Amino acid sequence: MENEVTIRIGGESGEGTISGGDILALASARWGYHVFTFRTFPAEILGGPCLFQVRISDRPVKSMGDYADVLICLNKEAYDRNIGDLRRGGVLVYDPGDFTPESDDFITYAVPFNELARKEVQLFQTKNMVMLGAIAGLFGPPLEALLQVVESRLSKSRKANPILMEKNRLALDVAYRYVREKIEKRDPYQLGPVEKADRVVLNGNQAVVAGALAAGCGFFAGYPITPASDIMEALAKELPQVGGAFLQAEDEMAALAAVLGASFGGVRAMTATSGPGFSLMTELIGLASMAELPAVIVDAQRAGPSTGMPTKMEQADLSFALYGGHGDTPRLIVAPANVADCYTLMGLAFNMADRYQMPVIFLTDQSLTARVESVDRSVFQPFTIEGRLEYGKAASNGANGANGASSNGKHEAAAALAASFARYAYTASGISPMTVPGPGAIPYSATGLEHDEHGHPDYEPEDHTAMMQKRFRKLETAAQELPQPEPYGDSNAEIGLIGWGSTEGAIQEAVDRARAKGYKVASLHLRILSPLPDRALRNFISSVKTVIVPECNYSGQLANLLGARYGLQPIRVNKFGGIPFTAGEILRAIEEVC
Amino acid sequence: MVQSTTPTLTLKDYKSEVKPTWCPGCGDFGVLNATLRSMAALKLPVDQTVVVSGIGCSSRFPHFIRTFGFHSVHGRALPVAQGLKMARPDLTVIAVGGDGDFFSIGVGHLVHAALRNIDITAIVMDNETYGLTKGQTSPTSPHGHKTKSSPYGLLASQFNPVATALSLNVSFVARGYSARPKELAALIEQATLHRGFSFVHVLSPCPTFYNTFDAWDAAVAPLPEEHDPSNRLKALGYALDSEKQYIGLFYREERPTMESVAREVVAPREFRIEEYIQRYA
């Protein structure tokens, strides 16, 4: 018997496919298992095919798995769409009322989901509970683990009522008993008891929100867009509870403009968006860079271009994040690789924004926004919050920091301090001391115009040259100060994989499997893409014979960047159908090189 | 707003060392003067006042004032100002700009500023033309107006800023004229004191590209003394007058402001990640 199983549920959007899958994942995780989920759904709320896949294991899980071990089909279309992804010899669970599968390649179990829901439970909406009961009876987790999650969910729901709860319980029970009595188990998948561990279970967007709050974010403005809306909705609820403010903006330009206003006011501020909204923000990203204002911009990448595929993943905004906008515009880019990163890197992103007085683009993607992982609770530590480099506050004289009070020594000192204040002073690090409005602060004007050290508009060639250098110097400073990634795998590797973003798990799993086959392979994963971790990259590239760059986009955006920077011509492995890599796909690419 | 204890402040206390870049005779000088005068009268603390602008001749404004300033991008003065005020309700926030900023590229933001009623003051310098780009038509240019961008005469109708603000139910609507800086200063003063979104439309001619001084001298008239600023329908009537350009306070209503209501919905407490993450256990 194997203590690991990948279960895929295929069904129709709106019939509880996804929520049923969520309950399965959560129950398994609470029972002590590691989980990793993947889901796709149509952009419509009701109707259209959707799938939910969860990999459940007693060992840490890095990717969604190459194939499903178990495929649960809630209708015939789900069978047609997903049967190709079921492992040969895997288990197909279907409703004999819908169709009869013809292939002998799989172990098949017939469970009349529809009939059980209609006739036994007498409430068709419980079909997903019937499905869960069948899963519990066939593979685990135990019925009680599922029931606990269902009860706690329903108690929080608006639909909560004792009759509905009773029907859910009945549905779980009816299906559980049905499969136990009627089905002779012929497969090896059985989740046995495991030791409980101190983990929490959440998705990427939820971790981003937790990270923002722990980082002391005090303002959010945003505009609804798939798949970033849940970040906005969560912060709309949470920010007022911690003394912060929330604004649903009229468009994405207003959203980032409001964020920059709040940031000018000294408050840690962020927005979250996806491709189309990110495009609209471009001009304001330039303003943030020019006026040297901290801001965190989450871009939950989805498949583009244009409206593209709102509910599918892609890693195709890297070039845009790096170069989008007119003029040479320094900006920082952070890309989380997993759910834990969505938390910890938000802490880093806010510190980076404040420290370097620059916009930070946080590149997550659709698959990571919705990916549920079980994460060690110890990951969620409080952050050390760095402040901005603030110019020494003048002694407050009531109305005017440096004006209007009697001419005592305190006043003269304040006046001298004010006179010497250069908001955009040329410094070795490029970082200039700033002020924030408030009693005693020395005023300045932030501007998108080129300006002198005092922030006054200035178009002189010498000034523009020095200011460009100063602004870009901050990136050099950041490159020196920010953490460098460590290679993963064989320290004498001949083949090196370089990746970024949500593909890390699949890449590392491929490295593990290739090494088990005797190949000398390692990988390097980039979490900061601007500035690039130069030292780590140069060392890694020079230590291997061949570099492979797997990424989920058409043009090979990281490969292009590495080519431009290091003259590297890596082997490009690109997937751009809207679905993340499996470890197997990357393993095949490694094997092709060997 | 924090009132100063300093006895007397004058216009000079608020004037920065940066010389205005405007053409001689530009209406914006009058508006700047009136604004500085209102600031002095209110003893606004320079360290707790922020003037936000967009892009255009008039949007250079913040550089000429000693308070904090934020010269942003074209059309976005209102969202910058609202974000700032939401995050820092203790500050006095004034958004300034021209007819291009507020009625063309950024007109969408006007609607939402009205709906939110965040306590900021908008001062719009309207010269009915695009001065910085040398005289193309603006939304407030009159129908038939001939410019380089309307060589056969402007085909679109003319935008009515005050009538629009009134129809959006902006909680404070006034109009001033740059050539009457004293009255204008008084209006800006009232607008700054008003709790909520206040909108001051200022006729501010561009002598270089579209000189409307004579026309406005003839058309400008104070609102009748008996006008009751709580009567929005009457105010709309004055705003729609096709002959006269009425100046004064059209409409005022005290309504809750979004930034204060937003802070009253729940009692804030300290954030602790150990506590927060428990929901995912």
Side-chain angles (χ1 to χ4, degrees), chain A residues 283-296:
Chain A
E283 188 188 14
L284 285 136
I285 292 172
L287 174 65
S289 186
M290 185 64 147
E292 303 196 40
L293 287 170
V296 174

Side-chain angles (χ1 to χ4, degrees), chain A residues 30 199-202 206 209-210 213-214 219 238 240-251 253-254 257-258 260-262 264-267 283-284 287 291 293 343 377 380-382 397-401 403-405 435-449 455-457 459, chain B residues 2 4-7 9 13-14 16-18 43-51 55 60 62-63 65-74 76 79-84 86-88 90-91 105 108-110 112-113 116 118 258 262-263 265-271 273-274 276-281:
Chain A
R30 285 197 181 153
R199 293 190 205 107
V200 289
V201 186
L202 69 170
Q206 289 165 336
V209 170
L213 292 167
F219 183 77
E238 300 300 330
Q241 299 187 32
V242 294
F246 166 82
L247 188 69
Q248 180 171 330
E250 54 271 33
D251 56 49
M253 294 174 287
L260 297 183
F264 183 82
V267 173
E283 188 188 14
L284 285 136
L287 174 65
L293 287 170
Y343 176 77
R377 193 196 287 262
F380 298 89
Q381 298 293 329
N397 283 320
N400 288 279
N403 185 72
T435 56
V436 160
I442 301 163
Y444 76 96
S445 280
T447 174
L449 280 176
H456 303 324
Y459 302 166
Chain B
V2 180
S4 162
T5 49
T6 314
L9 288 169
D13 293 315
Y14 290 90
S16 86
E17 67 273 24
V18 181
K43 297 178 183 174
L44 290 186
V46 297
D47 49 10
Q48 291 154 70
T49 302
V50 186
V51 180
I55 295 296
R60 283 287 186 112
H63 294 288
I65 301 181
R66 278 197 51 233
T67 63
F68 273 92
F70 191 163
H71 179 195
S72 73
V73 291
H74 200 23
R76 316 294 161 225
V80 169
Q82 291 172 91
L84 174 59
M86 282 296 285
R88 290 288 308 274
D90 56 311
L91 303 175
I105 191 168
H109 305 310
L110 190 63
H112 302 278
R116 294 182 189 121
I118 294 172
M258 189 191 250
R263 279 180 154 70
V265 288
V266 284
R269 47 174 173 68
E270 204 187 331
F271 179 82
I273 185 63
E274 316 81 275
Y276 182 82
I277 208 67
Q278 185 55 31
R279 68 186 65 190
Y280 299 117

Side-chain angles (χ1 to χ4, degrees), chain A residues 131-434:
Chain A
M131 169 195 79
L132 287 174
I135 292 173
L138 290 166
F139 316 106
L143 209 51
E144 305 80 68
L146 288 164
L147 199 58
Q148 249 177 32
V149 175
V150 172
E151 275 178 354
S152 80
R153 281 208 161 192
L154 204 61
S155 69
K156 287 175 202 151
S157 157
R158 272 173 295 165
K159 293 182 240 161
N161 70 62
I163 299 165
L164 192 58
M165 191 57 240
E166 198 40 53
K167 289 281 184 194
N168 278 323
R169 204 175 287 137
L170 181 63
L172 284 166
D173 203 53
V174 158
Y176 184 87
R177 277 189 289 110
Y178 180 90
V179 299
R180 284 296 170 126
E181 285 163 17
K182 302 270 162 75
I183 290 174
E184 183 201 343
K185 193 168 161 73
R186 287 165 284 141
D187 68 86
Y189 306 108
Q190 184 63 58
L191 300 170
V194 284
E195 221 174 287
K196 284 225 175 196
D198 197 12
R199 293 190 205 107
V200 289
V201 186
L202 69 170
N203 69 28
N205 274 352
Q206 289 165 336
V208 163
V209 170
L213 292 167
C217 175
F219 183 77
F220 179 98
Y223 186 80
I225 189 166
T226 303
S229 300
D230 352 340
I231 296 175
M232 180 176 92
E233 291 165 6
L235 286 170
K237 183 159 184 232
E238 300 300 330
L239 276 175
Q241 299 187 32
V242 294
F246 166 82
L247 188 69
Q248 180 171 330
E250 54 271 33
D251 56 49
E252 284 89 350
M253 294 174 287
L256 187 51
V259 163
L260 297 183
S263 174
F264 183 82
V267 173
R268 286 193 153 188
M270 70 174 285
T271 184
T273 187
S274 186
F278 189 47
S279 290
L280 286 178
M281 289 178 183
T282 315
E283 188 188 14
L284 285 136
I285 292 172
L287 174 65
S289 186
M290 185 64 147
E292 303 196 40
L293 287 170
V296 174
I297 301 148
V298 175
D299 173 22
Q301 296 169 97
R302 65 192 219 189
S306 190
T307 312
M309 302 195 286
T311 55
K312 306 286 176 182
M313 77 83 73
E314 205 163 75
Q315 297 180 290
D317 291 356
L318 175 59
S319 297
F320 184 45
L322 280 163
Y323 309 115
H326 57 280
D328 284 325
T329 314
R331 77 284 303 270
L332 300 157
I333 301 173
V334 174
N338 50 44
V339 173
D341 273 0
C342 287
Y343 176 77
T344 54
L345 293 186
M346 275 305 274
L348 179 66
F350 272 102
N351 277 344
M352 285 165 70
D354 271 356
R355 195 196 294 171
Y356 305 112
Q357 300 173 20
M358 225 189 266
V360 177
I361 297 161
F362 194 86
L363 283 180
T364 165
D365 68 54
Q366 184 274 331
S367 70
L368 188 50
T369 61
R371 183 202 295 177
V372 174
E373 282 185 61
S374 42
V375 185
D376 282 343
R377 193 196 287 262
S378 61
V379 164
F380 298 89
Q381 298 293 329
F383 297 127
T384 305
I385 293 173
E386 294 178 18
R388 302 175 185 178
L389 183 61
E390 270 196 64
Y391 188 75
K393 281 184 183 171
S396 178
N397 283 320
N400 288 279
N403 185 72
S406 58
S407 59
N408 54 28
K410 204 169 154 192
H411 169 58
E412 276 164 23
L417 202 59
S420 67
F421 176 50
R423 162 65 186 98
Y424 298 102
Y426 301 125
T427 60
S429 64
I431 302 164
S432 318
M434 67 188 298

